[in-house]
Short mmCIF file of all heavy atoms in Angstrom, two decimals:
data_model
loop_
_atom_site.label_atom_id
_atom_site.label_comp_id
_atom_site.label_asym_id
_atom_site.label_seq_id
_atom_site.Cartn_x
_atom_site.Cartn_y
_atom_site.Cartn_z
N LYS A 1 38.51 31.78 62.34
CA LYS A 1 37.64 31.60 61.22
C LYS A 1 38.35 31.79 59.89
O LYS A 1 38.03 31.22 58.84
CB LYS A 1 36.46 32.51 61.34
CG LYS A 1 35.49 32.09 62.44
CD LYS A 1 34.34 33.09 62.54
CE LYS A 1 33.42 32.64 63.69
NZ LYS A 1 32.72 31.43 63.43
N LEU A 2 39.40 32.74 59.90
CA LEU A 2 40.12 32.94 58.71
C LEU A 2 41.27 31.97 58.53
O LEU A 2 42.11 32.06 57.54
CB LEU A 2 40.64 34.40 58.66
CG LEU A 2 39.55 35.49 58.51
CD1 LEU A 2 40.25 36.88 58.47
CD2 LEU A 2 38.74 35.28 57.19
N LYS A 3 41.53 31.19 59.63
CA LYS A 3 42.72 30.30 59.63
C LYS A 3 44.01 31.00 59.41
O LYS A 3 44.86 30.61 58.60
CB LYS A 3 42.50 29.19 58.54
CG LYS A 3 41.31 28.28 58.83
CD LYS A 3 41.17 27.13 57.77
CE LYS A 3 40.11 26.17 58.14
NZ LYS A 3 38.77 26.75 58.43
N THR A 4 44.17 32.10 60.22
CA THR A 4 45.38 32.86 60.08
C THR A 4 45.99 33.06 61.49
O THR A 4 45.25 32.84 62.50
CB THR A 4 45.08 34.28 59.48
OG1 THR A 4 46.29 34.93 59.21
CG2 THR A 4 44.20 35.11 60.41
N ALA A 5 47.16 33.43 61.56
CA ALA A 5 47.84 33.61 62.88
C ALA A 5 47.29 34.87 63.64
O ALA A 5 47.04 35.94 62.99
CB ALA A 5 49.35 33.80 62.66
N ASN A 6 47.15 34.71 64.92
CA ASN A 6 46.63 35.78 65.77
C ASN A 6 47.92 36.56 66.25
O ASN A 6 48.34 36.47 67.40
CB ASN A 6 45.86 35.24 66.92
CG ASN A 6 45.18 36.35 67.76
OD1 ASN A 6 45.43 37.54 67.48
ND2 ASN A 6 44.47 35.93 68.74
N ASN A 7 48.44 37.38 65.38
CA ASN A 7 49.73 38.03 65.68
C ASN A 7 49.71 39.50 65.30
O ASN A 7 48.62 40.06 65.02
CB ASN A 7 50.89 37.33 64.92
CG ASN A 7 50.65 37.20 63.41
OD1 ASN A 7 49.77 37.94 62.88
ND2 ASN A 7 51.33 36.37 62.73
N GLY A 8 50.88 40.09 65.22
CA GLY A 8 50.98 41.56 64.87
C GLY A 8 50.48 41.85 63.45
O GLY A 8 49.96 42.97 63.22
N HIS A 9 50.57 40.86 62.63
CA HIS A 9 50.05 41.18 61.21
C HIS A 9 48.52 41.35 61.25
O HIS A 9 48.02 42.26 60.59
CB HIS A 9 50.41 39.90 60.36
CG HIS A 9 50.05 40.14 58.91
ND1 HIS A 9 50.65 41.02 58.08
CD2 HIS A 9 49.07 39.51 58.13
CE1 HIS A 9 50.13 40.96 56.88
NE2 HIS A 9 49.17 40.04 56.93
N LEU A 10 47.81 40.58 62.00
CA LEU A 10 46.33 40.69 62.15
C LEU A 10 46.06 42.00 62.89
O LEU A 10 45.14 42.72 62.53
CB LEU A 10 45.78 39.53 62.89
CG LEU A 10 44.28 39.53 63.09
CD1 LEU A 10 43.49 39.69 61.80
CD2 LEU A 10 43.79 38.34 63.94
N THR A 11 46.85 42.35 63.86
CA THR A 11 46.65 43.60 64.60
C THR A 11 46.73 44.79 63.59
O THR A 11 45.87 45.68 63.64
CB THR A 11 47.72 43.75 65.67
OG1 THR A 11 47.65 42.75 66.65
CG2 THR A 11 47.61 45.15 66.35
N LYS A 12 47.73 44.78 62.74
CA LYS A 12 47.90 45.91 61.75
C LYS A 12 46.70 45.92 60.82
O LYS A 12 46.14 47.00 60.54
CB LYS A 12 49.10 45.71 60.91
CG LYS A 12 49.40 46.68 59.87
CD LYS A 12 50.67 46.45 59.14
CE LYS A 12 50.97 47.47 58.08
NZ LYS A 12 49.93 47.48 57.02
N THR A 13 46.20 44.75 60.42
CA THR A 13 45.01 44.73 59.48
C THR A 13 43.80 45.33 60.17
O THR A 13 43.13 46.16 59.59
CB THR A 13 44.74 43.31 59.06
OG1 THR A 13 45.88 42.74 58.37
CG2 THR A 13 43.50 43.26 58.14
N LEU A 14 43.60 45.00 61.39
CA LEU A 14 42.41 45.54 62.14
C LEU A 14 42.58 46.95 62.40
O LEU A 14 41.55 47.71 62.26
CB LEU A 14 42.22 44.71 63.44
CG LEU A 14 41.85 43.23 63.27
CD1 LEU A 14 41.88 42.53 64.63
CD2 LEU A 14 40.49 43.08 62.66
N GLU A 15 43.79 47.42 62.75
CA GLU A 15 44.01 48.86 63.06
C GLU A 15 43.74 49.68 61.71
O GLU A 15 43.17 50.70 61.82
CB GLU A 15 45.45 49.01 63.49
CG GLU A 15 45.64 48.62 65.04
CD GLU A 15 47.13 48.82 65.49
OE1 GLU A 15 47.92 49.10 64.60
OE2 GLU A 15 47.38 48.72 66.63
N ASP A 16 44.24 49.16 60.67
CA ASP A 16 44.14 49.87 59.34
C ASP A 16 42.65 50.01 58.96
O ASP A 16 42.19 51.15 58.56
CB ASP A 16 44.85 49.08 58.24
CG ASP A 16 46.35 49.18 58.34
OD1 ASP A 16 46.79 49.93 59.22
OD2 ASP A 16 47.06 48.48 57.63
N LEU A 17 41.87 48.96 59.14
CA LEU A 17 40.44 49.04 58.84
C LEU A 17 39.71 49.98 59.81
O LEU A 17 38.80 50.73 59.33
CB LEU A 17 39.85 47.66 58.98
CG LEU A 17 40.12 46.68 57.84
CD1 LEU A 17 39.74 45.25 58.19
CD2 LEU A 17 39.56 47.14 56.49
N GLU A 18 40.19 50.10 61.05
CA GLU A 18 39.60 51.00 61.97
C GLU A 18 39.93 52.45 61.68
O GLU A 18 39.15 53.32 61.78
CB GLU A 18 39.97 50.66 63.41
CG GLU A 18 39.12 51.27 64.48
CD GLU A 18 39.26 50.57 65.81
OE1 GLU A 18 40.00 49.66 66.02
OE2 GLU A 18 38.51 51.05 66.74
N TYR A 19 41.23 52.68 61.28
CA TYR A 19 41.61 54.01 60.85
C TYR A 19 40.78 54.52 59.72
O TYR A 19 40.47 55.72 59.66
CB TYR A 19 43.08 53.98 60.42
CG TYR A 19 44.12 53.85 61.46
CD1 TYR A 19 45.30 53.08 61.26
CD2 TYR A 19 44.04 54.47 62.74
CE1 TYR A 19 46.29 52.96 62.20
CE2 TYR A 19 44.96 54.37 63.68
CZ TYR A 19 46.11 53.59 63.46
OH TYR A 19 47.09 53.45 64.37
N CYS A 20 40.39 53.65 58.82
CA CYS A 20 39.60 54.03 57.65
C CYS A 20 38.09 54.04 57.91
O CYS A 20 37.31 54.29 56.96
CB CYS A 20 39.91 53.06 56.52
SG CYS A 20 41.61 53.17 55.90
N ASP A 21 37.65 53.83 59.11
CA ASP A 21 36.25 53.84 59.55
C ASP A 21 35.38 52.77 58.93
O ASP A 21 34.21 52.91 58.81
CB ASP A 21 35.62 55.22 59.14
CG ASP A 21 36.24 56.41 59.90
OD1 ASP A 21 36.65 56.23 61.05
OD2 ASP A 21 36.30 57.50 59.35
N PHE A 22 36.10 51.66 58.56
CA PHE A 22 35.35 50.56 58.05
C PHE A 22 34.79 49.66 59.24
O PHE A 22 33.70 49.12 59.10
CB PHE A 22 36.23 49.68 57.13
CG PHE A 22 36.44 50.29 55.83
CD1 PHE A 22 37.77 50.44 55.39
CD2 PHE A 22 35.47 50.77 55.01
CE1 PHE A 22 38.08 51.04 54.16
CE2 PHE A 22 35.75 51.35 53.79
CZ PHE A 22 37.05 51.46 53.41
N ILE A 23 35.61 49.52 60.23
CA ILE A 23 35.16 48.74 61.39
C ILE A 23 35.29 49.57 62.67
O ILE A 23 35.94 50.59 62.66
CB ILE A 23 35.96 47.44 61.59
CG1 ILE A 23 37.44 47.79 61.94
CG2 ILE A 23 35.95 46.68 60.24
CD1 ILE A 23 38.27 46.47 62.18
N ARG A 24 34.70 49.10 63.76
CA ARG A 24 34.94 49.68 65.03
C ARG A 24 35.26 48.61 66.02
O ARG A 24 34.89 47.35 65.79
CB ARG A 24 33.65 50.44 65.59
CG ARG A 24 32.51 49.48 65.92
CD ARG A 24 31.47 50.21 66.79
NE ARG A 24 30.41 49.26 67.20
CZ ARG A 24 29.81 49.32 68.36
NH1 ARG A 24 30.15 50.12 69.30
NH2 ARG A 24 28.84 48.41 68.60
N SER A 25 36.04 48.96 67.02
CA SER A 25 36.29 47.94 68.12
C SER A 25 35.58 48.50 69.39
O SER A 25 35.58 49.71 69.61
CB SER A 25 37.79 47.87 68.36
OG SER A 25 38.32 49.11 68.77
N TYR A 26 34.92 47.55 70.05
CA TYR A 26 34.25 48.05 71.29
C TYR A 26 34.38 46.95 72.36
O TYR A 26 34.61 45.76 72.05
CB TYR A 26 32.80 48.35 71.01
CG TYR A 26 31.96 47.18 70.59
CD1 TYR A 26 31.12 46.57 71.54
CD2 TYR A 26 31.90 46.74 69.30
CE1 TYR A 26 30.29 45.50 71.19
CE2 TYR A 26 31.09 45.66 68.93
CZ TYR A 26 30.26 45.08 69.86
OH TYR A 26 29.47 44.00 69.49
N VAL A 27 34.20 47.34 73.57
CA VAL A 27 34.40 46.42 74.69
C VAL A 27 32.92 46.04 75.14
O VAL A 27 32.09 46.93 75.35
CB VAL A 27 35.11 47.03 75.88
CG1 VAL A 27 35.06 46.16 77.11
CG2 VAL A 27 36.50 47.32 75.45
N VAL A 28 32.67 44.79 75.26
CA VAL A 28 31.41 44.28 75.77
C VAL A 28 31.59 43.96 77.28
O VAL A 28 32.52 43.29 77.67
CB VAL A 28 30.97 42.93 75.09
CG1 VAL A 28 29.77 42.40 75.78
CG2 VAL A 28 30.71 43.16 73.64
N LEU A 29 30.77 44.63 78.06
CA LEU A 29 30.87 44.51 79.49
C LEU A 29 29.85 43.49 79.99
O LEU A 29 28.82 43.38 79.43
CB LEU A 29 30.69 45.89 80.19
CG LEU A 29 31.67 46.90 79.85
CD1 LEU A 29 31.38 48.18 80.66
CD2 LEU A 29 33.09 46.50 80.05
N GLY A 30 30.22 42.78 81.09
CA GLY A 30 29.31 41.76 81.56
C GLY A 30 28.95 42.07 83.06
O GLY A 30 28.99 43.19 83.48
N LYS A 31 28.54 41.08 83.74
CA LYS A 31 28.12 41.02 85.10
C LYS A 31 27.98 42.33 85.82
O LYS A 31 26.91 42.79 86.18
CB LYS A 31 28.99 40.07 85.91
CG LYS A 31 28.23 39.50 87.08
CD LYS A 31 28.98 38.31 87.64
CE LYS A 31 28.21 37.71 88.81
NZ LYS A 31 28.83 36.57 89.40
N ASN A 32 29.05 43.01 86.18
CA ASN A 32 28.90 44.18 87.00
C ASN A 32 29.20 45.44 86.28
O ASN A 32 29.57 46.47 86.79
CB ASN A 32 29.86 44.11 88.26
CG ASN A 32 31.35 43.96 87.82
OD1 ASN A 32 31.66 44.08 86.69
ND2 ASN A 32 32.18 43.75 88.82
N SER A 33 29.14 45.41 84.91
CA SER A 33 29.41 46.53 83.96
C SER A 33 30.76 47.17 84.12
O SER A 33 30.99 48.27 83.88
CB SER A 33 28.32 47.56 84.09
OG SER A 33 28.64 48.67 84.92
N SER A 34 31.71 46.40 84.71
CA SER A 34 33.05 46.88 84.78
C SER A 34 34.10 45.83 84.41
O SER A 34 35.30 46.03 84.36
CB SER A 34 33.44 47.37 86.21
OG SER A 34 33.33 46.31 87.10
N THR A 35 33.58 44.64 84.09
CA THR A 35 34.40 43.53 83.77
C THR A 35 34.27 43.17 82.27
O THR A 35 33.13 42.99 81.80
CB THR A 35 34.04 42.24 84.58
OG1 THR A 35 34.08 42.53 85.93
CG2 THR A 35 34.89 41.08 84.25
N LYS A 36 35.36 43.10 81.55
CA LYS A 36 35.36 42.77 80.15
C LYS A 36 34.98 41.31 80.03
O LYS A 36 35.45 40.39 80.71
CB LYS A 36 36.73 42.97 79.54
CG LYS A 36 37.09 44.47 79.44
CD LYS A 36 38.45 44.58 78.74
CE LYS A 36 38.91 46.00 78.72
NZ LYS A 36 40.25 46.19 78.02
#
C-alpha cells in the first residue's frame, strides 16, 4: 500500500514504532488456534 520495499528498512521502521508504543504486532490464529 505504501509502494515501498518489504525489506530491512521497513522492519526497522515497524520495530521503532513498536518500541515507542505507537503500534503493536500480534499473531492472528486460525483454524485450530495454533496455525498462523
Side-chain angles (χ1 to χ4, degrees):
K1 290 179 181 293
L2 292 180
K3 295 180 171 55
T4 189
N6 187 356
N7 56 16
H9 185 69
L10 179 59
T11 297
K12 179 179 180 297
T13 300
L14 294 172
E15 286 179 350
D16 289 352
L17 287 169
E18 197 163 3
Y19 286 143
C20 293
D21 295 329
F22 289 125
I23 68 173
R24 70 162 181 144
S25 61
Y26 67 99
V27 174
V28 173
L29 301 183
K31 202 165 183 180
N32 61 6
S33 96
S34 63
T35 304
K36 294 182 182 179

